[in-house]
Amino acid sequence: MSGCNHDCNSCASKCDHVGKPLLEKTNEYSNVKKVIGIVSGKGGVGKSLVTSLSAIVFHRQGYKTAILDGDITGPSIPKVFGIKGKAPFDEHGLLPATSKEGIKVMSVNLLLENETDPVVWRGPVISNMVKQFWTDVSWGDVDYMFVDMPPGTGDVPLTVFQSIPVDGIIIVTSPQELVSMIVEKAVKMANQMNIPILGIVENMSYLSCPDCDKKISVFGESHVDEIANQYGLNVIAKLPIDPALASACDKGELESFCADWFSGMFSGWNQ
């Protein structure tokens, strides 16, 4: 019904959903303990980068991590990890690919004949694919799964929030004031869906001068602290523009990249 937030416990209306759980279960060969969604109000702000760094940071802390690439029409996760070829399978079905350091990854690019083939599908098909990544892939034991979602508040984010037991989300933004406005849409969607917001990551926050180390606000002054204060949220990190980081992603060597500005970015909520 119109205006439904899919929380049947707090609903006084009587409809077809009452008593019927919407969340999908994983298969018997998957044991995923925590699911963290990475979202943004628009594209191009570095959502896939934050997803990848999150998995790497937690993996370095000793957790078993995985990435579900929900950006079906713009998948980039396999590229930054240097993963090529098709996803493996065994007698139990489809398996996630594994990065050099052991991070599990499932992406539509691991199912295509060529990684440059476009995915020209309508919304419901894309949403069902994301749901199948959760229900049909044999993930094994995973402490933290990070879901890289497409930008906006459309079909796929809605499917993830309704079908997958998301424990919390991270909102990714950049300094432009226009993006700040769109961040508020993501915050309000999460609140409507009763999904906890773990915090905000501002990407491309500044550029450090290689000569004097002065921080240059390439895209203007940041507004992320204002938004965070408005909604009582934590600013997890402000990531700089770093050519070395971009090069590591292009080469598929992100796991070999180290920098102090993200090594402790998620301490405090990884409990």
Side-chain angles (χ1 to χ4, degrees):
M1 61 184 297
S2 176
C4 177
N5 66 0
H6 304 282
D7 182 6
C8 296
N9 292 326
S10 63
C11 182
S13 300
K14 294 182 179 181
C15 64
D16 293 339
H17 289 305
V18 174
K20 298 179 182 179
L22 297 173
L23 295 178
E24 299 283 348
K25 294 182 179 180
T26 59
N27 59 56
E28 60 182 308
Y29 307 107
S30 300
N31 178 28
V32 181
K33 296 178 182 177
K34 296 286 185 180
V35 179
I36 309 298
I38 314 296
V39 307
S40 66
K42 68 181 296 295
V45 297
K47 176 175 45 56
S48 297
L49 173 64
V50 172
T51 301
S52 302
L53 291 178
S54 302
I56 292 171
V57 168
F58 272 67
H59 184 75
R60 288 174 180 171
Q61 293 176 359
Y63 296 103
K64 297 176 181 177
T65 61
I67 297 176
L68 190 160
D69 189 355
D71 196 351
I72 302 298
T73 59
S76 58
I77 298 296
K79 171 70 175 179
V80 301
F81 284 96
I83 299 174
K84 299 180 179 181
K86 297 290 189 66
F89 62 91
D90 62 10
E91 66 273 13
H92 303 309
L94 192 63
L95 301 173
T98 305
S99 72
K100 296 175 184 177
E101 293 189 7
I103 296 172
K104 297 179 180 180
V105 174
M106 177 50 66
S107 170
V108 72
N109 256 19
L110 301 176
L111 304 176
L112 301 176
E113 190 66 31
N114 301 295
E115 64 176 16
T116 56
D117 289 345
V119 178
V120 188
W121 298 344
R122 294 191 181 275
V125 179
I126 294 174
S127 297
N128 285 332
M129 173 62 74
V130 174
K131 189 185 299 185
Q132 286 183 296
F133 281 170
W134 171 253
T135 59
D136 295 359
V137 175
S138 299
W139 289 99
D141 290 326
V142 174
D143 294 317
Y144 286 91
M145 174 180 286
F146 297 91
V147 181
D148 183 14
M149 290 194 277
T153 55
D155 286 346
V156 174
L158 188 61
T159 295
V160 171
F161 288 157
Q162 291 178 343
S163 304
I164 299 176
V166 178
D167 294 282
I169 65 168
I170 298 168
I171 298 175
V172 184
T173 183
S174 59
Q176 298 98 320
E177 189 166 352
L178 172 62
V179 177
S180 299
M181 178 194 70
I182 297 174
V183 167
E184 295 190 53
K185 295 181 182 291
V187 170
K188 291 177 180 178
M189 180 182 185
N191 290 337
Q192 288 179 10
M193 302 299 296
N194 295 320
I195 304 295
I197 302 174
L198 300 174
I200 303 176
V201 172
E202 184 177 70
N203 189 33
M204 299 178 286
S205 185
Y206 60 90
L207 172 67
S208 292
C209 175
D211 297 321
C212 65
D213 205 33
K214 178 182 178 180
K215 292 184 178 180
I216 304 169
S217 300
V218 178
F219 295 109
E221 295 301 320
S222 170
H223 299 277
V224 68
D225 291 317
E226 299 170 17
I227 297 177
N229 290 333
Q230 180 180 349
Y231 290 97
L233 301 176
N234 177 40
V235 178
I236 297 173
K238 296 181 180 179
L239 306 183
I241 299 172
D242 191 324
L245 176 60
S247 177
C249 291
D250 291 341
K251 295 178 181 178
E253 299 174 354
L254 185 59
E255 287 175 298
S256 65
F257 186 86
C258 294
D260 292 339
W261 41 260
F262 73 82
S263 60
M265 60 193 296
F266 299 109
S267 61
W269 56 265
N270 55 341
Q271 303 296 325

